[in-house]
Amino acid sequence: MRSLSTILSGAVACAVGLSLLTGCSSSTPDPAGDAAPAETTQSAPDCTVEKCVALTFDDGPGKFTNKLLDELAQAHAPATFFMVGQNVSKYPDAVKRMVAEGHELGSHTWDHADITKLTKEKIEHEVQWTEQAIEKASGEKPTVLRPPYGSHGVVYDRLIPYPLVLWDVDTLDWKYLNAQKTVETAMKEVKPGSIILMHDIHETSVQAVPDLVSKLTEAGYKLVTVQQLFNDADFEAGKAYMEGPHPAGTSTSGQSTDQEPSDGAQSPTS
């Protein structure tokens, strides 16, 4: 039988050994545990210097929205979603996921109403009901609003407590329902500061996203949300915007507009 002193000596040696091992382990950082997700460590680009473009999706959420979120996540591409309030309660998990994955939430009114045909009280209801639905589903309020059909005017715009975001690139995805045509149209019309209009209620639009994102990236564009596009720029509630800031000399001006966009009436699902 071993003596008590031998046992104690062995125990002390084991304790010292474990202490040394623990110390070595704690001094070596765990790359997986300490590293923040790429999305949180990267700051938004300066769109007055770099070529930026905002992908925007109207009329959802719908049955294809989660597939779209899959595609955007794989491409590390943020987007802005202009949602119809009455659809939000049908797909609350998709709205929660938008927030978790760094996308921007926008209002598209409660039931896709043309605000220029509504009373002041009805416009307020359209805005409030949609805001409440989005906040209930995600914990976040919308930050922007897109008027259905692109229909707006100065008198109506002033009643909206968010910036009104229109578009300068209409893919007409709702009309052609063709992924290749959607990509071709977007790439033909895109320029620095563009806001691209698409719809996540159409499967073909979702199918177009991987190729479109790839082509935009290859052309040197940085994909951003609408808020990121207008970062530190004039972007006020009650005013309408068709495109964002851009590097000097790369595009014409026209970031704000008090007129209805010429293509607004052509897009019945916008």
Side-chain angles (χ1 to χ4, degrees):
M1 179 179 292
R2 293 182 295 171
S3 66
L4 179 60
S5 60
T6 302
I7 294 173
L8 290 174
S9 297
V12 170
C14 289
V16 171
L18 287 172
S19 176
L20 289 173
L21 287 172
T22 303
C24 292
S25 175
S26 62
S27 65
T28 304
D30 178 3
D34 293 348
E39 291 79 1
T40 63
T41 59
Q42 296 178 352
S43 58
D46 181 349
C47 296
T48 63
V49 176
E50 299 190 70
K51 293 166 56 178
C52 296
V53 61
L55 291 180
T56 66
F57 296 90
D58 285 12
D59 294 354
K63 62 181 180 180
F64 304 117
T65 302
N66 272 307
K67 176 60 177 175
L68 172 59
L69 291 170
D70 291 341
E71 299 291 2
L72 293 171
Q74 187 169 352
H76 303 287
T80 302
F81 289 85
F82 292 97
M83 292 174 281
V84 174
Q86 62 185 5
N87 291 343
V88 170
S89 61
K90 301 175 184 177
Y91 302 93
D93 290 341
V95 184
K96 291 178 187 176
R97 189 177 166 192
M98 291 173 193
V99 173
E101 297 181 5
H103 303 293
E104 183 176 8
L105 308 182
S107 171
H108 201 37
T109 74
W110 177 254
D111 53 7
H112 206 273
D114 182 339
I115 64 172
T116 66
K117 297 179 180 179
L118 303 179
T119 64
K120 177 178 181 291
E121 291 72 19
K122 181 60 176 174
I123 291 174
E124 291 174 347
H125 289 157
E126 290 279 340
V127 171
Q128 292 172 1
W129 293 343
T130 306
E131 179 181 288
Q132 291 168 0
I134 291 175
E135 185 174 19
K136 180 179 179 180
S138 68
E140 300 285 343
K141 294 182 179 181
T143 54
V144 286
L145 179 144
R146 172 166 285 160
Y149 315 105
S151 183
H152 75 105
V154 177
V155 173
Y156 306 97
D157 297 352
R158 291 171 180 168
L159 300 175
I160 306 298
Y162 319 107
L164 289 83
V165 179
L166 305 175
W167 60 87
D168 67 308
V169 177
D170 189 349
T171 62
L172 297 175
D173 57 340
W174 60 270
K175 181 177 181 180
Y176 296 108
L177 299 177
N178 181 291
Q180 182 177 350
K181 179 70 173 177
T182 296
V183 174
E184 290 175 352
T185 302
M187 293 307 300
K188 180 180 179 181
E189 299 182 10
V190 70
K191 59 184 181 293
S194 279
I195 299 172
I196 299 177
L197 169 64
M198 299 175 70
H199 300 80
D200 53 320
I201 59 171
H202 301 305
E203 186 174 19
T204 49
S205 301
V206 174
Q207 292 169 346
V209 166
D211 190 31
L212 177 56
V213 170
S214 177
K215 282 182 166 56
L216 288 169
T217 302
E218 289 172 3
Y221 287 98
K222 303 289 186 181
L223 276 75
V224 295
T225 65
V226 168
Q227 284 282 359
Q228 291 170 337
L229 185 65
F230 284 90
N231 187 34
D232 295 327
D234 172 42
F235 197 50
E236 303 174 12
K239 292 182 65 176
Y241 301 83
M242 291 184 67
E243 63 181 270
H246 48 77
T250 60
S251 175
T252 59
S253 185
Q255 297 171 21
S256 176
T257 175
D258 291 330
Q259 303 297 322
E260 182 175 342
S262 60
D263 55 357
Q266 300 174 11
S267 183
T269 58
S270 295

